[in-house]
């Protein structure tokens, strides 16, 4: 097989990556060694930033709401002796004050979405995209680089066959124990074996126990069953995690029967029936890869970093990895950026992973403050594990072994019971101390600063000498700004600009597009500037688009200056800012884009009209023709004279997905394949407009490889506001006709027959002679039918 991108691992990060690439015209193959999506929850917190990214993929809030724990049921985090007893300590993580804080910095709120449900939502979204394929039961066995490609070896579980996949890039999204990372020889560094956990997934109706503490997390402080409940749906299912202690204990020491006893002790009642659906074990580690790229192999998600779950940062960091990488990879593969742009991925994302890893480890150790406030030294728990799992203990009868365990458990149980009931003045004081220790854990559950506050530096950002402001608490709070490198801030658009009330500024960001936004005296020029650049740039006048309140915020974020032009990258981070008195020129913005995309071609020296132009062909050599050929091999190019030079450059670039091969004030050469120019545009401002009935060339046509490619192009151009003027099945071709800015008819077509022999047979059948024009169709209907097929 040959595919542009091979993604190994169909977890949330791999699925997101495939969708992001598909939306930017890059096909991929996604292989996963599991036989399907996960069936049990793992990660479960998705941040505001992750929800912003999912929204950019077209995943509606309603789709997520169906699999999200209702906010009212995830309002608290609670500490109890067991689930049936009263609270010892409780903190509010989902109240109105929290939502007000989130709403000020994002149009989305964090949510509790169990990973297996999130994977299903992402998989359904991916199924509606035509540029990616997912295969389960496929194990990546190794790879070697061959020139500008990677050849991977994949084993099919059903047949045992090992087949080769040649790809331009190999993406490792195969989790913390990534085979692809190991195969690439990339090392991980950090803390190993922070904890060892048994995870018990079970079904039960916990509503009688949750009562008036609707909590997403319950920490149980019972010595019989210390651990954590994650209550995804109090009426249906939850997860219980408890530690074990190698080398004294191993996962095999926790069969279903023992886990049932531990779960019953943690529940604290025999009146709630439950059913264990699955058991698993895992090791808590804190590692970050020493680099994110080796040759043509790139790491994303847990393959690049693994954190303790204390903070819920792992999955969200991985989704942001994919968002950072996808646009860079797409532009490089399309020939619109130099490969050095890909190196900025690791340079930008690895520091974020290091910071998030450190915060997660800090949270993990800080959680001991609660048990310490209870007077419990959880570091003695390994002693209990060693005793209960020792060879002499296992040789004792069950009743004796239980009694021996009780000698260790009873003092702790007696102490925690008295503290929970505040049985004395001293116990009441300890309980208050435990509550204060719990309140000191908010950095574990409020990480908006880590989520939204990082600002990139490096080659893909053109800094202006300023530094993004940092909040007093950079973990829990964020300061929005217009500083290059910072995330495009959230503010509300003007309702009279044709948007719904309280629409977020992030709606201005389009997948795969740069945003050129202007404010003050720069605002009106931005749409015109964007149209002149000849690439996917959306221009916005913030003076018209932003709400009245937001305009005042923008000036404050711009250090009190009313004028600015802002270039925002496709991943929603500000790439460049200009605050000069006058708006920047097209050449200024083009130079910035060349710097970001690392395009080092020097622009040609402008020449006045009438002077001879240096032939640029030596820079873009043509393929050598076949010496035996007696007819042209292909259409070389179309030359068009235009009075609307800049507008035409942009139009043809967008329609064909073309790159600029040469440009001066008189000529522009555009190409989308191995030809140095397929379309040449001549700047002819003094020409008269063409007439519809003028003899000569009627239209130019471009053939796509598949109907899928043609319909993808139709949908993409529709997003740019470009609609076909005629949609018709001619018989030999299915065709869409557009008009360029000068009114030239441009046919985008796909052949309906796989060979010339089949087409000749159809011609001889006489249908074409009866109707040589064809049958018109609605492209929207055809697109819907194609996606449903």
């Amino acid at each position: 097989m040959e595919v542009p991108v091979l993604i190994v691992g169909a977890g949330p990060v791999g699925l997101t990556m495939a969708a992001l690439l598909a939306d930017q015209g890059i096909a991929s193959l996604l292989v996963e060694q599991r036989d399907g999506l996960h069936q049990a929850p793992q990660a479960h917190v998705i941040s505001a930033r992750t929800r912003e990214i999912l929204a950019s993929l077209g995943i509606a809030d309603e789709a997520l709401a169906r699999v999200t724990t209702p906010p009212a049921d995830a309002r608290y985090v609670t500490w109890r002796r067991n689930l049936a007893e009263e609270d010892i300590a409780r903190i509010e993580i989902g109240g109105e004050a929290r939502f007000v804080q989130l709403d000020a910095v994002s149009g989305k709120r964090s949510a509790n979405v169990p990973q297996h449900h999130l994977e299903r939502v992402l998989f359904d979204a991916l199924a509606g995209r035509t540029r990616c394929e997912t295969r389960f039961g496929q194990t990546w066995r190794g790879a070697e680089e061959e020139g500008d490609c990677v050849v991977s070896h994949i084993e099919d579980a059903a047949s045992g066959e090992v087949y080769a996949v040649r790809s331009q890039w190999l993406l490792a999204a195969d989790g913390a124990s990534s085979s692809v990372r190991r195969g690439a020889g990339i090392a991980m560094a950090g803390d190993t074996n922070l904890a060892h956990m048994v995870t018990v997934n079970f079904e039960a109706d916990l509503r009688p126990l949750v009562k008036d503490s609707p909590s997403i997390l319950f920490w149980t402080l019972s010595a019989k069953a210390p651990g954590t409940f994650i209550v995804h749906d109090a009426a249906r299912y939850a997860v219980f995690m408890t530690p074990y202690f190698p080398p004294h204990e191993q996962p095999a020491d926790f069969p279903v029967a023992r886990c049932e006893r531990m779960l019953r002790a943690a529940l604290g009642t025999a009146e709630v029936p439950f059913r264990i659906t699955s058991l698993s074990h895992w090791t808590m580690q804190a590692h970050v890869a020493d680099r994110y790229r080796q040759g043509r192999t790139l790491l994303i998600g847990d393959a690049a970093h693994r954190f303790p779950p204390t903070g819920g940062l792992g999955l969200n960091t991985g989704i942001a990895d994919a968002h950072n990488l996808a646009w860079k990879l797409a532009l490089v593969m399309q020939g619109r950026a130099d490969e050095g742009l890909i190196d900025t991925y690791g340079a930008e994302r690895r520091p974020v992973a290091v910071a998030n890893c450190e915060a997660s480890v800090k949270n993990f150790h800080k959680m001991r403050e609660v048990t310490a406030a209870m007077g419990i030294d959880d570091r003695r728990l390994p002693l209990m594990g060693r005793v209960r799992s020792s060879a002499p203990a296992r040789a004792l009868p069950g009743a004796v072994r239980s009694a021996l365990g009780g000698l260790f458990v009873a003092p702790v149980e007696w102490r925690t019971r008295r503290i929970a009931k505040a049985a004395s003045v001293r116990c009441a004081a300890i309980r208050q101390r435990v509550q204060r220790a719990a309140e000191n854990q908010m950095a574990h559950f409020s990480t908006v600063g880590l989520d939204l506050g990082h600002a990139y530096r490096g080659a893909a950002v053109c800094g202006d000498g300023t530094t993004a402001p940092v909040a007093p608490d950079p973990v829990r709070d964020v300061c929005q700004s217009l500083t290059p490198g910072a995330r495009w801030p959230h503010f509300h658009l003007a309702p009279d600009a044709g948007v719904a009330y309280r629409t977020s500024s992030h709606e201005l960001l389009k997948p795969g597009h740069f945003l050129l936004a202007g404010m003050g005296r720069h605002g009106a020029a931005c749409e015109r500037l964007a149209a002149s650049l000849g690439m996917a740039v959306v221009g916005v006048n913030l003076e018209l688009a932003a709400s009245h309140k937001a305009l005042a915020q923008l000036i404050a974020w711009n250090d009190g200056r009313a004028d600015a032009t802002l270039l925002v990258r496709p991943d929603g981070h500000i790439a460049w800012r200009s605050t000069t008195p006058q708006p920047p020129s097209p050449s200024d913005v083009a130079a910035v884009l060349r710097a970001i995309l690392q395009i080092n071609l020097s622009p040609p020296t402008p020449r006045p009209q009438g002077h001879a132009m240096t032939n640029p062909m030596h820079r873009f050599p043509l393929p050598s023709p076949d010496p035996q050929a007696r007819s042209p091999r292909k259409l070389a190019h179309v030359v068009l004279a235009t009075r609307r030079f800049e507008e035409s450059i942009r139009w043809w670039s967008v329609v064909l997905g073309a790159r600029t091969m040469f440009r001066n004030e008189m000529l522009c050469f555009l190409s989308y394949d191995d030809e140095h120019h397929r379309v040449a545009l001549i700047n002819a401002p003094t020409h008269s407009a063409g007439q519809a009935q003028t003899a000569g060339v009627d239209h130019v046509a471009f053939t796509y490889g598949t109907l899928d490619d043609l319909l993808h192009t139709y949908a993409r151009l529709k997003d740019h506001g470009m609609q076909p003027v005629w949609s018709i099945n001619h018989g030999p071709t299915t065709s869409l006709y557009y008009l360029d800015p000068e009114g030239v008819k441009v046919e985008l077509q796909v052949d309906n027959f796989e060979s010339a022999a089949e087409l000749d047979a159809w011609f001889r059948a006489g249908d074409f002679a009866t109707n040589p024009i064809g049958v018109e169709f609605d492209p929207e209907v055809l697109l819907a039918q194609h996606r449903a097929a």
Side-chain angles (χ1 to χ4, degrees), residues 22 26 28 142 158 163 173 196 211 232 418 422 426 457 527 548 570 579 590 594 637 639 658 671-672 695 732 776-777:
I26 302 298
S28 65
Y163 58 96
H196 300 271
K211 298 176 183 176
H232 296 294
R418 287 179 56 81
R426 182 170 179 271
R457 296 181 180 180
E527 291 186 15
H548 180 73
T579 56
R594 285 198 301 271
H637 57 256
V639 180
S671 180
Y672 55 85
E776 294 184 351
F777 64 90

Side-chain angles (χ1 to χ4, degrees), residues 203-250:
E203 295 175 348
D205 183 355
L206 301 180
R207 288 174 296 181
L209 305 183
V210 171
K211 298 176 183 176
D212 59 349
S213 284
S215 305
I216 189 63
L217 295 173
F218 286 90
W219 261 269
T220 56
L221 301 174
S222 168
K224 294 181 180 178
T228 309
F229 283 98
I230 307 172
V231 184
H232 296 294
D233 184 340
R236 295 173 51 234
Y237 70 98
V239 175
F240 179 66
M241 295 188 297
T242 188
Y244 70 97
F245 303 98
H248 322 299
E249 295 176 307
Q250 300 298 326

Side-chain angles (χ1 to χ4, degrees), residues 81-84 220 222 224-225 229 240 259-269 274 413:
R81 290 185 67 253
N82 56 58
L83 210 58
T220 56
S222 168
K224 294 181 180 178
F229 283 98
F240 179 66
C259 289
E260 287 177 339
R261 293 193 299 272
M262 295 180 66
L263 181 56
R264 178 64 66 195
L267 291 172
T269 177
F274 63 80
E413 290 290 273

Side-chain angles (χ1 to χ4, degrees), residues 527-600:
E527 291 186 15
R528 184 173 65 254
L529 270 174
S532 72
L533 295 171
M535 61 181 300
V537 181
V538 176
V540 173
N541 182 357
L542 294 175
E543 297 297 315
L544 300 178
S547 68
H548 180 73
K549 180 180 178 181
L551 286 172
Q553 289 179 313
L554 286 164
I555 292 172
W557 292 331
N558 197 38
D559 302 325
R561 293 168 291 193
D563 304 313
T565 296
L566 301 149
L567 182 66
V568 186
R569 306 185 326 186
D571 63 349
H573 279 257
I574 299 170
W576 172 70
R577 171 173 60 175
S578 172
T579 56
T580 57
Q582 297 301 320
S585 67
S587 61
D588 292 333
V589 182
V592 170
L593 282 167
R594 285 198 301 271
I596 292 168
L597 303 180
Q598 302 191 24
I599 299 172
N600 296 318

Side-chain angles (χ1 to χ4, degrees), residues 178 201 219 241 307 341 411 426 507 542 551 728 760 785:
S178 171
N201 296 292
W219 261 269
M241 295 188 297
F307 313 150
L341 180 64
R426 182 170 179 271
E507 293 297 320
L542 294 175
L551 286 172
I728 188 164
D760 287 342
Q785 292 172 340

Side-chain angles (χ1 to χ4, degrees), residues 601-604 614-622 660-663 676:
L601 294 177
S602 300
T614 302
N615 188 346
M617 303 296 283
H618 68 279
R619 288 168 51 197
F620 310 106
L622 286 169
T660 300
M661 306 300 292
F662 175 87
R663 165 73 194 276
H676 56 74

Side-chain angles (χ1 to χ4, degrees), residues 68-88:
T68 297
T69 304
D73 293 342
R75 184 173 181 179
Y76 300 105
V77 171
T78 300
W79 284 259
R80 294 179 175 180
R81 290 185 67 253
N82 56 58
L83 210 58
E85 296 188 9
E86 66 272 17
D87 299 348
I88 297 175

